[in-house]
Amino acid sequence: AQTVTQSQPEMSVQEAETVTLSCTYDTSESDYYLFWYKQPPSRQMILVIRQEAYKQQNATENRFSVNFQKAAKSFSLKISDSQLGDAAMYFCAYTSGGGADGLTFGKGTHLIIQP
Amino acid sequence: KAGVTQTPRYLIKTRGQQVTLSCSPISGHRSVSWYQQTPGQGLQFLFEYFSETQRNKGNFPGRFSGRQFSNSRSEMNVSTLELGDSALYLCASRETGAHNEQFFGPGTRLTVL
């Protein structure tokens, strides 16, 4: 079974600084997708960024970028120029290429932004 | 397009009762997945429906069931409720394809007393 591990239960960063959230995963599949979701206090899950395993290039979305290390099965999220609105729980998630297994989530990292 | 909607938003039940939760996906999305979120277990996949067929189910007892209608709306049912079923139940819909974003609804907060 696939597993996703987020080793940082909580992270704190100063506004405008950069922070990196860690995620490792375990799978025997070769075709899969990785995601970072954000869940603010409203509980609404919002996709931050996605990465296809077959793509070597790291995904970027504005201030958000990932460091995808396929051999190490590592998928970290970097948030640049942190803003107060970035405060939330961040979940790393995995799904196989078929997609029918649903998303496997990590336990989450609570990100605190210090003004 | 309207987002994913879930009803009801809050629900209080007692042990032994059953409950039905509803999810309306984004128009055109044929895939609907359900997740349970608890403080202890985190986010766990319940099942996915596509074109009225359950494609896969997570590691949950048979008390948890679901269905999908021809308009892609989905319901999940939990019978013989237990205290441990108290959770936020999230529904997500997506277009066909694993790479496609799953759009989540606001969730149904179920409390079992």
Side-chain angles (χ1 to χ4, degrees):
Chain A
Q2 295 82 10
T3 58
V4 177
T5 302
Q6 293 179 249
S7 58
Q8 306 152 318
E10 187 172 279
M11 292 283 285
S12 181
V13 64
Q14 290 289 129
E15 194 175 3
E17 296 295 308
T18 296
V19 63
T20 298
L21 309 184
S22 301
C23 172
T24 59
Y25 60 95
D26 188 25
T27 183
S28 58
E29 306 272 346
S30 58
D31 180 23
Y32 55 88
Y33 300 87
L34 297 164
F35 306 84
W36 278 98
Y37 277 89
K38 168 185 176 181
Q39 188 179 43
S42 67
R43 296 294 193 176
Q44 180 69 54
M45 295 285 282
I46 303 163
L47 178 68
V48 174
I49 199 166
R50 87 189 83 187
Q51 175 78 44
E52 294 87 343
Y54 63 85
K55 288 187 177 179
Q56 293 187 336
Q57 186 173 6
N58 290 326
T60 61
E61 287 288 343
N62 301 313
R63 299 183 294 107
F64 300 87
S65 62
V66 298
N67 183 4
F68 175 47
Q69 301 290 325
K70 190 172 184 178
K73 296 181 180 174
S74 171
F75 182 60
S76 61
L77 174 70
K78 185 172 81 171
I79 305 174
S80 304
D81 185 25
S82 298
Q83 300 175 0
L84 294 177
D86 295 333
M89 284 293 291
Y90 286 80
F91 293 95
C92 178
Y94 163 103
T95 192
S96 62
D101 295 337
L103 292 167
T104 299
F105 287 92
K107 292 292 188 184
T109 296
H110 181 209
L111 179 63
I112 298 168
I113 310 295
Q114 304 280 5
Chain B
K1 282 184 180 179
V4 178
T5 58
Q6 293 186 246
T7 56
R9 293 291 311 278
Y10 301 91
L11 207 48
I12 300 175
K13 292 286 187 179
T14 56
R15 280 180 299 175
Q17 288 187 310
Q18 75 164 20
V19 66
T20 299
L21 311 182
S22 180
C23 171
S24 293
I26 291 172
S27 177
H29 289 191
R30 296 163 63 190
S31 170
V32 174
S33 298
W34 288 88
Y35 297 85
Q36 182 195 65
Q37 185 174 23
T38 60
Q41 299 299 315
L43 280 151
Q44 293 184 285
F45 170 69
L46 277 158
F47 27 65
E48 185 198 20
Y49 285 88
F50 179 80
S51 293
E52 303 178 63
T53 301
Q54 186 182 93
R55 293 210 296 178
N56 210 339
K57 184 174 181 179
N59 189 23
F60 279 84
R63 300 185 298 107
F64 291 82
S65 63
R67 59 178 174 169
Q68 186 180 33
F69 301 94
S70 58
N71 62 357
S72 293
R73 189 177 70 85
S74 177
E75 289 181 346
M76 69 162 281
N77 183 277
V78 187
S79 62
T80 318
L81 283 165
E82 300 177 359
L83 295 178
D85 297 333
S86 294
L88 180 68
Y89 290 88
L90 294 167
C91 165
S93 76
R94 63 179 167 89
E95 294 178 282
T96 307
H99 64 288
N100 285 313
E101 175 182 356
Q102 292 206 22
F103 291 84
F104 283 82
T108 293
R109 170 75 64 184
L110 172 65
T111 302
V112 182
L113 302 176

